[in-house]
Amino acid sequence: MNRALVVRQPGGPEAMQWEEWPLAAPGDGQIAVRQTAIGVNFIDTYQRSGLYPVQMPFVAGNEGAGIVTAVGAGVSIFKPGDRVAYQGQVGAYAQERLLIAERVVAIPEGVSEQTAAAVMLKGMTAYYLLFKTWAVQPGETILWHAAAGGVGQIATRWAKALGARVIATVGSAEKAALAEQNGCDAVINYNTEDFAVRVRELTGGKGVDVVYDGVGKATFEKSLDCLRPRGLMVSFGNASGVVSIPDVTVLSRKGSLYLTRPTTAHYVSRREDLLEGAGALFDAIARQDIKVSISQTFPLVDAAKAHEALSSRGTTGSILLLP
């Protein structure tokens, strides 16, 4: 019998219960996958806690990789034995699962299943942020918050490969050293420095072209002070709490700024967009423009410990669950 981490009521990490979870035969357009590695992401904690509502009960998790074991009617793009990876389909914290075939990509030769599981959601996030939300150009200056995290390590290296000047923030000296190793041009510890003041110093008072902020409430307001006039504020996460703007005129007062709150689903809603992004991601891995750092692994049954580690904001790189 297939087993999974099931959430029946919103709550803390303990809300995920290790239960038997029936697995039906794949239906039209579906594939069955035996999972070999599963990624852990902040969105998993938001759904588990109820911040992002999901119909109960549900199996937690949004990213993974594994082997196709069966295909449903109408599926011609995959066959049993294929190695595949996915992001954005809730239900990842399971030994086996069903997936919509059109929302899955093949893992290319030379990429391990663990790497694919660690990079699909985070890498696709980095892709759309750097190529679609704001198409980063050589010579532009960006500010990336939480540069030592899973998305941050991928995105800052990728931005450097695109020719950008990368200013990064982190929360400790150890994370600062890691961001420097990843090629960031300047690294600010926001627990010991006023990052808005420091960014202005680093840019000669001009400000950056774009801020990428997955931290949320703790960094949002000062991030606006880091932007040049008509710069873009990209708020894509809530690690420190949800952002609210009671007075939208703050954007005009600080330089006719632009603000967006993007999500991956709206950038890869079509299969051609998914394949374009995944292709760019795997090509960047092959060129070593980006490196995938897996900092911790946990047995699947210990997903609660993985959530506690992630929510502590003391982790670096990606966290995996291994069935």
Side-chain angles (χ1 to χ4, degrees):
M1 175 66 72
N2 181 47
R3 297 186 73 88
L5 274 300
V6 183
V7 180
R8 297 191 177 277
Q9 293 293 332
E14 71 284 351
M16 298 182 293
Q17 296 296 309
W18 185 240
E19 300 180 11
E20 292 185 352
W21 189 258
L23 184 73
D28 289 355
Q30 292 184 321
I31 59 175
V33 173
R34 174 179 57 82
Q35 302 204 105
T36 54
I38 298 159
V40 178
N41 298 277
F42 274 106
I43 190 174
D44 306 349
T45 70
Y46 303 155
Q47 291 169 341
R48 182 212 70 224
S49 71
L51 178 64
Y52 291 0
V54 179
Q55 185 174 351
M56 305 285 174
F58 73 98
V59 175
N62 293 269
E63 171 186 51
I67 309 298
V68 177
T69 58
V71 302
V75 176
S76 60
I77 53 178
F78 298 112
K79 64 183 185 303
D82 285 347
R83 300 189 311 136
V84 296
Y86 66 93
Q87 62 82 33
Q89 295 194 54
V90 178
Y93 293 6
Q95 294 169 325
E96 300 182 68
R97 69 166 304 183
L98 299 180
L99 291 161
I100 300 169
E102 290 285 329
R103 308 305 303 157
V104 175
V105 301
I107 301 174
E109 291 186 16
V111 177
S112 71
E113 288 147 41
Q114 288 197 14
T115 295
V119 79
M120 273 300 293
L121 194 152
K122 301 169 192 68
M124 291 296 287
T125 299
Y127 166 75
Y128 83 74
L129 290 173
L130 295 174
F131 288 83
K132 301 296 183 178
T133 305
W134 177 282
V136 173
Q137 301 298 313
E140 290 183 334
T141 301
I142 73 170
L143 172 63
W144 195 286
H145 288 303
V151 178
Q153 288 196 49
I154 294 168
T156 53
R157 289 182 63 96
W158 211 343
K160 285 298 299 177
L162 293 172
R165 180 190 183 197
V166 178
I167 301 173
T169 71
V170 295
S172 70
E174 293 78 12
K175 290 183 176 182
L178 184 57
E180 290 169 356
Q181 291 171 17
N182 284 327
C184 294
D185 295 284
V187 182
I188 304 164
N189 183 337
Y190 49 59
N191 286 322
T192 59
E193 292 186 88
D194 184 321
F195 71 82
V197 171
R198 185 67 180 130
V199 165
R200 286 291 173 180
E201 292 173 351
L202 290 166
T203 59
K206 295 179 181 179
V208 300
D209 296 289
V210 56
V211 175
Y212 293 104
D213 187 0
V215 175
K217 187 176 181 179
T219 51
F220 180 82
E221 289 189 17
K222 283 192 174 182
S223 291
L224 299 180
D225 294 326
C226 297
L227 285 161
R228 64 163 171 80
R230 297 171 59 193
L232 175 65
M233 177 70 196
V234 184
S235 177
F236 68 94
N238 318 300
S240 68
V242 177
V243 171
S244 62
I245 309 179
D247 179 7
V248 74
T249 63
V250 67
L251 301 176
S252 65
R253 294 196 303 272
K254 292 183 181 292
S256 296
L257 305 178
Y258 295 93
L259 168 65
T260 185
R261 181 57 173 88
T263 186
T264 310
H266 296 138
Y267 282 86
V268 294
S269 59
R270 302 180 304 168
R271 179 159 179 79
E272 51 262 46
D273 296 324
L274 174 65
L275 293 178
E276 178 187 331
L281 175 61
F282 289 131
D283 285 347
I285 293 172
R287 292 193 305 269
Q288 297 188 349
D289 287 347
I290 60 178
K291 293 182 180 179
V292 181
S293 170
I294 300 171
S295 61
Q296 291 178 277
T297 62
F298 295 83
L300 175 58
V301 68
D302 290 335
K305 293 180 181 178
H307 276 213
E308 290 168 355
L310 184 65
S311 296
S312 73
R313 294 182 59 201
T315 61
T316 61
S318 299
I319 299 175
L320 289 184
L321 301 176
L322 303 180

